[in-house]
């Protein structure tokens, strides 16, 4: 993944330098200017101020990059507190040394000096701690998002690959029967099966495909099923041509149609399957209805129910709240209604 510009090392260093420069320039930027402001004592005060600022910056990074991960993250709190007291005392000692070195004509007073050091110390400690915790939170969130994305990609690939093999076996058996009869339908069936296999093996690897290709795949599948069942099943497939070039995850709709042929055929009087698809205004409306026998007891195999379970999981991962899926049974009809937003 391409690194964001603000996360590059040189940008981070430049931002830190700019922040420290601005922070320690504020007293001079806000200070009133007088004609005699630049005297001998002011020069020494400036040197003391620069050295003090460097010490505070050093304390900031010492706490952020060493003390926090070494003691706080490892729950060594008392050692952390002891080290902070030692650092505070050292800051006072350094302040005294600088005062005695550069401001020799003044008397160093300990009590006001402690207060003078205490407030910057608390400020730097708080900002340093907050900086480390926020940066770690951002880093961990980024790593978590990357792992979630990798897991999502892996899971979607797995779910997409779990297509029921029963259809292929049934189609091949049907083609064997056509070959034995030397039927003219064999060539057309082979072409449709070839188109189906090409879509499943190659185009289904794409993240998204044009909706027209998904419709063509559904049509080829339905044609092969109609050829297999003949007049035993009445199938209606109505697809309204989209008003624009929509894209959809490949093989997202086929499990609903597979389920209709699996459970809507066989020992069912007047077996009927109706499939309707319409795409308009960035929304897909998809409906599959099939008659079923509520009194029949289905003998489940290892793959029973996998199709609908998988597609529900895929829809949740891919579209979240941007889709609605309703599965109902009403008067011997099994009805699936799907509406989803194309995110375009």
């Amino acid at each position: 993944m391409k690194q964001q510009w603000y996360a590059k090392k040189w940008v981070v260093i430049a931002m830190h330098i700019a922040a420290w420069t601005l922070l320690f320039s504020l007293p001079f930027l806000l200070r009133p200017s007088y004609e005699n402001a630049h005297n001998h004592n002011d020069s020494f005060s400036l040197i003391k101020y620069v050295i003090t600022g460097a010490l505070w910056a050093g304390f900031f990074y010492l706490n952020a990059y060493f003390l926090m991960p070494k003691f706080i993250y490892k729950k060594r709190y008392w050692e952390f507190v002891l080290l902070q007291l030692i650092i505070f005392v050292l800051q006072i000692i350094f302040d005294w040394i600088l005062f005695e070195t550069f401001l020799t004509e003044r008397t160093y007073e300990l009590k006001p000096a402690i207060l003078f050091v205490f407030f910057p110390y608390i400020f730097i400690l708080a900002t340093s701690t907050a900086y480390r915790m926020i940066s770690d939170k951002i880093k961990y969130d980024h790593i978590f998002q990357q792992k979630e994305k990798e897991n999502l990609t892996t899971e979607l690939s797995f779910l997409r690959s779990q297509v029921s093999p029963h259809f292929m076996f049934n189609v091949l058996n049907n083609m064997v029967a056509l070959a034995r009869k030397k039927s003219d339908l064999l060539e057309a069936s082979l072409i449709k099966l070839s188109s189906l296999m090409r879509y499943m093996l190659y185009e289904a690897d794409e993240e998204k495909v044009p909706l027209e290709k998904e419709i063509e795949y559904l049509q080829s599948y339905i044609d092969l099923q109609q050829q297999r069942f003949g007049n035993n099943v009445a199938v209606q497939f109505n697809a309204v041509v989209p008003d624009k070039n929509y894209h959809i995850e490949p093989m997202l709709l086929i499990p609903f149609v597979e389920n209709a042929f699996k459970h809507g055929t066989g020992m069912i009087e007047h077996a009927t399957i109706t499939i309707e698809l319409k795409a308009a205004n960035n929304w897909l409306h998809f409906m599959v209805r099939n008659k079923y026998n509520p009194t029949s007891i289905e003998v489940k195999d290892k793959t029973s129910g996998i199709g609908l379970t998988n597609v529900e999981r895929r829809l949740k991962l891919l579209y979240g709240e941007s889709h609605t899926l309703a599965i109902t049974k009403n008067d011997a009809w099994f009805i699936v209604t799907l509406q989803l937003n194309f995110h375009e």
Side-chain angles (χ1 to χ4, degrees):
M1 177 177 287
K2 185 178 179 181
Q3 188 181 30
Q4 299 291 341
W5 67 269
Y6 52 80
K8 293 181 179 179
K9 190 173 183 179
W10 70 269
V11 176
V12 174
I13 294 174
M15 291 174 66
H16 279 247
I17 293 174
W20 285 113
T21 302
L22 177 62
L23 178 64
F24 290 115
S25 298
L26 286 177
F28 298 98
L29 295 174
L30 300 176
R31 176 183 178 183
S33 61
Y34 300 99
E35 293 182 0
N36 60 345
H38 300 288
N39 52 38
H40 184 71
N41 288 337
D42 284 347
S43 299
F44 285 126
S45 297
L46 177 61
I47 295 173
K48 175 180 178 294
Y49 185 78
V50 171
I51 297 175
T52 303
L55 290 174
W56 286 127
F59 170 55
F60 179 95
Y61 293 109
L62 175 68
N63 181 69
Y65 290 101
F66 179 75
L67 299 180
M68 284 286 294
K70 187 77 173 178
F71 296 97
I72 294 296
Y73 289 175
K74 294 182 179 180
K75 299 183 179 180
R76 298 164 62 182
Y77 302 121
W78 288 110
E79 295 175 68
F80 178 79
V81 171
L82 179 60
L83 285 171
Q84 292 297 337
L85 290 174
I86 293 173
I87 291 171
F88 179 71
V89 172
L90 289 175
Q91 288 284 6
I92 295 175
I93 293 173
F94 282 130
D95 185 71
W96 173 73
I97 293 173
L98 292 172
F99 191 95
E100 292 295 327
T101 302
F102 296 105
L103 300 173
T104 53
E105 69 280 3
R106 300 181 186 178
T107 304
Y108 187 80
E109 298 181 11
L110 184 60
K111 182 179 277 189
I114 291 175
L115 292 176
F116 182 78
V117 173
F118 177 75
F119 291 107
Y121 167 80
I122 292 298
F123 173 75
I124 295 297
L125 177 62
T127 54
S128 175
T129 302
Y131 166 78
R132 179 63 196 231
M133 294 179 69
I134 293 172
S135 61
D136 284 345
K137 181 69 166 57
I138 293 172
K139 181 176 70 174
Y140 293 147
D141 286 347
H142 179 71
I143 294 173
F144 179 77
Q145 290 174 0
Q146 288 296 103
K147 289 182 178 179
E148 283 286 296
K149 185 176 180 180
E150 291 174 4
N151 292 337
L152 177 63
T153 302
T154 302
E155 185 172 0
L156 286 174
S157 298
F158 175 72
L159 294 175
R160 184 185 293 176
S161 67
Q162 289 189 350
V163 179
S164 174
H166 296 300
F167 166 67
M168 288 300 172
F169 290 135
N170 291 329
V171 168
L172 290 174
N173 289 333
N174 188 57
M175 288 183 178
V176 170
L178 292 175
R180 287 174 179 171
K181 295 178 182 179
K182 297 182 180 179
S183 173
D184 294 336
L185 297 175
L186 179 60
E187 182 179 354
S189 298
L190 285 171
I191 292 173
K192 289 186 180 295
L193 181 61
S194 174
S195 175
L196 242 63
M197 295 296 293
R198 186 182 301 109
Y199 186 84
M200 292 170 61
L201 295 175
Y202 299 108
E203 297 186 47
D205 287 337
E206 300 294 330
E207 184 176 350
K208 288 189 177 183
V209 296
L211 181 59
E212 290 83 355
K213 286 191 174 293
E214 185 78 359
I215 293 174
E216 290 175 7
Y217 176 73
L218 292 176
Q219 185 66 67
S220 296
Y221 177 88
I222 293 168
D223 290 343
L224 288 172
Q225 289 284 31
Q226 281 185 299
Q227 182 179 298
R228 173 189 167 204
F229 289 105
N231 295 327
N232 295 324
V233 181
V235 182
Q236 293 181 350
F237 180 35
N238 301 316
V240 178
V241 178
D243 60 0
K244 60 186 293 188
N245 294 325
Y246 295 116
H247 288 74
I248 192 172
E249 283 68 19
M251 304 184 70
L252 187 66
L253 306 177
I254 190 63
F256 299 117
V257 181
E258 280 187 328
N259 186 75
F261 278 99
K262 182 176 180 181
H263 301 285
T265 57
M267 303 299 294
I268 298 175
E269 186 177 0
H270 304 299
T272 304
I273 297 174
T274 303
I275 303 162
E276 295 180 359
L277 186 151
K278 179 182 178 181
N281 301 321
N282 289 332
W283 280 90
L284 173 71
H285 304 272
F286 185 66
M287 188 271 294
V288 180
R289 298 168 67 242
N290 66 273
K291 280 192 173 183
Y292 77 103
N293 188 353
T295 61
S296 65
I297 300 176
E298 181 185 358
V299 179
K300 294 182 177 289
D301 57 23
K302 292 182 179 179
T303 62
S304 294
I306 289 180
L308 289 185
T309 302
N310 279 357
V311 76
E312 287 184 74
R313 178 62 179 160
R314 283 184 68 192
L315 285 167
K316 184 177 180 181
L317 291 171
L318 293 168
Y319 292 94
E321 300 297 324
S322 299
H323 86 283
T324 57
L325 177 65
I327 301 176
T328 59
K329 294 180 180 180
N330 185 19
D331 295 333
W333 283 94
F334 187 89
I335 306 170
V336 175
T337 305
L338 170 66
Q339 296 185 27
L340 61 84
N341 192 293
F342 284 107
H343 297 304
E344 295 188 5

